[in-house]
Amino acid sequence: MMDMPLPVVASARRPRQGMAHWLEAAAPYAVLAIAGAALPLLGNSYWGVIATRACVYWVLVSGLNLVVGFAGQIAIGWVALLTVGAYTTSVLAAGTVTPALSPYLTLAIAGVAGAVLGAIIGLPALRLRTFYFAMTTLGFATIATQIVLAWQGVTGGGVGVAGPVFPGPFSSQWGFYYFCLLLAAICTWMTANIAGSRFGRGLVAIRDAEVAAEASGVAKPALLMTVFLFSGAVAGIAGGLFASLQSYITPDAFTFDLSVLFFIAILIGGRGSILGPLLGTILLTILPELAAPLVAWSTFLYAALLLAIVLVAPGGIAELLDFRNRRPLAGGRAIIPRPELVANVLGHKTRSSPLSLQGLRLSFGGVRAIDGLDLEIRPGEVHGLIGPNGSGKTTTLNVISGYYSPQAGRVVLNGGTLPPRAPHLRARHRIARTFQTPRVVGAASVIQNVMIGGTVGGQGTFVESLFSLPRHRKDEAALHEEARAMLAVVGLEPLASVRADRLQHSELRFMEISRALMLRPAFLLLDEPAAGLSPDEIKRLGTLIVTISRQGTGVLLVEHHADLIFDICDHVTVLNLGKVLAAGTPTEIRSHRDVVDAYLGA
Ligand code: ADP
Ligand code: MG
């Protein structure tokens, strides 16, 4: 899509580097797959049971990982879904209530039941945060057990029910093991696909930088619901496998310990990783077996392990294995943006009408943050917004980008009023922004962060990403290419694969700009982009901003550096206590008496 002149070195090196990265990422999975496939050669059925159990747990944890590790939702009662899946398969396969169904069919039904329940358990996550959501998931776990106990006619109550037996090639112990291993491998593949898709990046962005995610067009409720459905489905299937492995299930089998195991496997594995939680699950399944007396202590053991990991490596196993990010970065790095590339990445687009703010008013309690503000941002121009601290600049940006709903007035674009309190819809109007304090996903690489900005450009659905279908692959290739181009524009391309939390503050500011550019913005709102930059960097930033605006983008620049404002702005609005103190060209403002008195003179 982008035929832009990238530096020769970078483009010549990229394909091989990509292959090496891919091999590096795939190697651990290949090792696990081979070890898993060869396990029956040991001929030890005891370890066979444990390995099967690890596979079953991983089928559940792989889905939960998207909820906990990626989206950052504290879902600790996931054993409820295992319970429902186990009883659904067992009861339907036993034929006590319905005619006996094929165990494979019951497994599929358990998946559907799990998906429905997963969505129901997930619903509170859209409103409740952290602990409160955690408590509701725990509540569901308790309810599931109580229902099973009370509904004796169907579930057998405390006496229990026999688990399904899978016929055909999967009836023997090792046959069933291979069946579970296959499903575990498929789950690994599917969740890895999601992790490497705009959905996975959106989840992590919701976790670490929610406002930036929304400004990039990530619709949190829809995305979370999709993930809860998926996570519930695989947990339901895991329940069916669990029932078969246990061969007989009673409510006692679904302990709180098990729920804790699932949750902690993800934490010690590392949030936002697939391999880490996979290893975590294997570790926690094996650990109690290594010494029989430890079984009684398993919860204590998990807690101790968690504590140790948090103290030694807060990023979990994944961080311990992340060798690439331990290589030191060059010190004293200077950012050299390349404005000459801007035309290539932003060019050829239709001009928008101006973005106009009409009579905006917004108070917080007694504070009038903005008080009757009129302002027009025109395409192709840089509009400076200055004023003392607390004069309402950031609040203005927040109203434009839909975080706050103004108490009076409106934001008009192309003849329509932009809906208040809908930040995730702004990206579709190609309104992009940066933040006064950079909002980034520290644990993701620089290029992943930038790709978040291109979320709305994707065509493929969640299911297409799950199975890595052509549209998903096309989306990813295009996003990668665009993000690289945007990084080249701001001069950060050499750091593309570095974890964002290793960057300097000034680099993060430029990274946010390249993320915003992913929208090919009609309007770009910059909140103090020069804060923390050196004088040279500020100059280069100024040139970059002007070049972007000349491509037709309307820029709203909030800034404290008066030099930058007067150098590059076409219009300047001065705010004081939420009111316009003065507006005009830089020359007019510079000589405006009130402004000099109230602001510049100080
Ligand atoms: P600026 O960006 O110009 O420094 P802000 O727009 O951040 O100023 O703030 C304007 C005023 O509104 C300040 O008095 C600030 O304390 C207040 N304010 C901003 N956001 C909130 C909020 N979420 N809740 C309460 N007061 C707020
Ligand atoms: Mg501010």
Side-chain angles (χ1 to χ4, degrees):
M1 179 168 182
M2 213 87 34
D3 50 345
M4 43 156 314
L6 287 166
V8 179
V9 195
S11 53
R13 212 178 46 205
R14 213 184 320 145
R16 225 186 311 143
Q17 217 179 31
M19 192 66 190
H21 280 181
W22 189 85
L23 281 178
E24 200 179 314
Y29 297 107
V31 170
L32 283 174
I34 293 169
L39 190 74
L41 294 178
L42 289 180
N44 183 325
S45 66
Y46 171 67
W47 282 103
V49 171
I50 294 161
T52 312
R53 192 180 302 150
C55 292
V56 173
Y57 287 172
W58 172 244
V59 170
L60 180 142
V61 174
S62 69
L64 183 61
N65 187 27
L66 294 182
V67 171
V68 175
F70 282 74
Q73 304 295 316
I74 308 182
I76 37 180
W78 229 235
V79 75
L81 291 149
L82 193 79
T83 315
V84 168
Y87 276 95
T88 306
T89 45
S90 303
V91 170
L92 293 180
T96 47
V97 183
T98 58
L101 301 178
S102 147
Y104 298 108
L105 181 60
T106 64
L107 206 54
I109 297 173
V112 174
V116 172
L117 191 68
I120 294 172
I121 298 184
L123 270 179
L126 304 184
R127 296 195 143 264
L128 302 178
R129 275 168 201 275
T130 60
F131 303 115
Y132 302 100
F133 174 62
M135 293 316 287
T136 64
T137 67
L138 267 187
F140 275 104
T142 313
I143 292 169
T145 314
Q146 292 307 320
I147 290 179
V148 167
L149 273 174
W151 203 4
Q152 286 183 6
V154 172
T155 63
V159 180
V161 56
V165 179
F166 289 91
F170 304 127
S171 56
S172 70
Q173 191 208 337
W174 289 116
F176 183 62
Y177 164 70
Y178 276 125
F179 183 53
C180 296
L181 184 65
L182 178 72
L183 290 179
I186 293 174
C187 286
T188 312
W189 176 69
M190 290 194 298
T191 51
N193 286 338
I194 290 299
S197 74
R198 63 193 176 109
F199 304 103
R201 284 188 296 273
L203 290 171
V204 176
I206 287 174
R207 182 190 79 196
D208 287 351
E210 190 172 334
V211 285
E214 288 181 311
S216 302
V218 176
K220 178 180 165 185
L223 183 55
L224 279 188
M225 270 302 118
T226 315
V227 166
F228 278 117
L229 275 171
F230 172 76
S231 176
V234 290
I237 292 172
L241 299 174
F242 182 78
S244 181
L245 177 67
Q246 299 281 95
S247 65
Y248 197 87
I249 51 168
T250 59
D252 305 342
F254 305 93
T255 57
F256 178 62
D257 281 9
L258 210 47
S259 234
V260 174
L261 181 151
F262 299 147
F263 188 71
I264 293 195
I266 294 168
L267 293 193
I268 64 170
R271 300 196 311 164
S273 156
I274 304 285
L275 183 63
L278 171 56
L279 295 176
T281 306
I282 296 173
L283 186 70
L284 290 192
T285 315
I286 294 177
L287 209 57
E289 306 296 334
L290 292 178
L294 290 183
V295 177
W297 290 81
S298 55
T299 315
F300 172 77
L301 212 60
Y302 301 154
L305 199 63
L306 180 66
L307 205 62
I309 286 273
V310 166
L311 291 176
V312 176
I317 298 172
E319 186 181 291
L320 293 174
L321 296 177
D322 186 8
F323 302 108
R324 216 187 310 155
N325 270 304
R326 277 202 231 131
R327 293 172 203 148
L329 296 176
R333 303 183 295 275
I335 309 170
I336 317 281
R338 300 175 59 195
E340 70 274 16
L341 299 179
V342 168
N344 276 319
V345 300
L346 293 187
H348 323 296
K349 58 167 196 230
T350 51
R351 284 219 171 190
S352 158
S353 77
L355 181 69
S356 85
L357 319 186
Q358 302 172 356
L360 288 185
R361 206 178 296 276
L362 177 57
S363 308
F364 296 105
V367 181
R368 291 193 173 177
I370 35 181
D371 195 2
L373 174 64
D374 294 301
L375 193 149
E376 191 170 84
I377 311 164
R378 287 194 276 275
E381 294 184 354
V382 182
H383 194 127
L385 186 61
I386 61 174
N389 275 332
S391 55
K393 306 181 296 292
T394 299
T395 305
T396 306
L397 251 64
N398 283 335
V399 170
I400 300 175
S401 50
Y403 286 99
Y404 296 147
S405 165
Q407 281 139 2
R410 51 198 204 127
V411 182
V412 178
L413 179 64
N414 292 324
T417 302
L418 294 180
R421 295 217 55 85
H424 63 286
L425 297 181
R426 295 302 194 262
R428 303 216 171 265
H429 292 283
R430 295 198 297 125
I431 299 175
R433 69 171 291 183
T434 67
F435 296 88
Q436 190 169 346
T437 315
R439 305 293 175 94
V440 304
V441 182
S445 68
V446 170
I447 193 162
Q448 299 283 336
N449 269 281
V450 175
M451 285 165 82
I452 291 167
T455 297
V456 292
Q459 303 287 315
T461 60
F462 186 85
V463 174
E464 284 173 279
S465 285
L466 212 48
F467 298 105
S468 189
L469 297 181
R471 271 215 294 193
H472 157 81
R473 293 207 299 273
K474 208 172 125 223
D475 279 351
E476 283 308 300
L479 272 176
H480 242 278
E481 199 60 29
E482 285 167 35
R484 255 187 204 284
M486 297 309 173
L487 281 171
V489 166
V490 301
L492 282 177
E493 215 200 350
L495 298 176
S497 59
V498 173
R499 269 171 66 113
D501 56 9
R502 304 181 69 202
L503 264 54
Q504 298 160 0
H505 188 75
S506 54
E507 290 167 331
L508 291 181
R509 293 215 175 272
F510 281 93
M511 188 178 92
E512 277 210 317
I513 294 177
S514 61
R515 180 178 68 200
L517 289 181
M518 286 294 281
L519 279 178
R520 280 144 228 275
F523 295 96
L524 176 61
L525 319 174
L526 300 169
D527 201 349
E528 305 199 14
L533 267 55
S534 72
D536 280 344
E537 286 170 333
I538 294 179
K539 275 212 187 66
R540 292 185 209 126
L541 173 71
T543 315
L544 181 65
I545 293 174
V546 171
T547 320
I548 291 170
S549 79
R550 294 304 175 254
Q551 286 301 315
T553 301
V555 178
L556 182 64
L557 173 63
V558 170
E559 210 15 274
H560 271 302
H561 290 83
D563 291 348
L564 179 64
I565 289 282
F566 292 131
D567 276 355
I568 70 168
C569 290
D570 301 289
H571 287 272
V572 179
T573 299
V574 186
L575 282 184
N576 194 25
L577 297 172
K579 283 192 168 71
V580 176
L581 183 67
T585 64
T587 326
E588 288 162 3
I589 297 299
R590 214 195 287 259
S591 53
H592 195 291
R593 267 200 52 200
D594 293 345
V595 177
V596 174
D597 286 352
Y599 182 50
L600 296 174

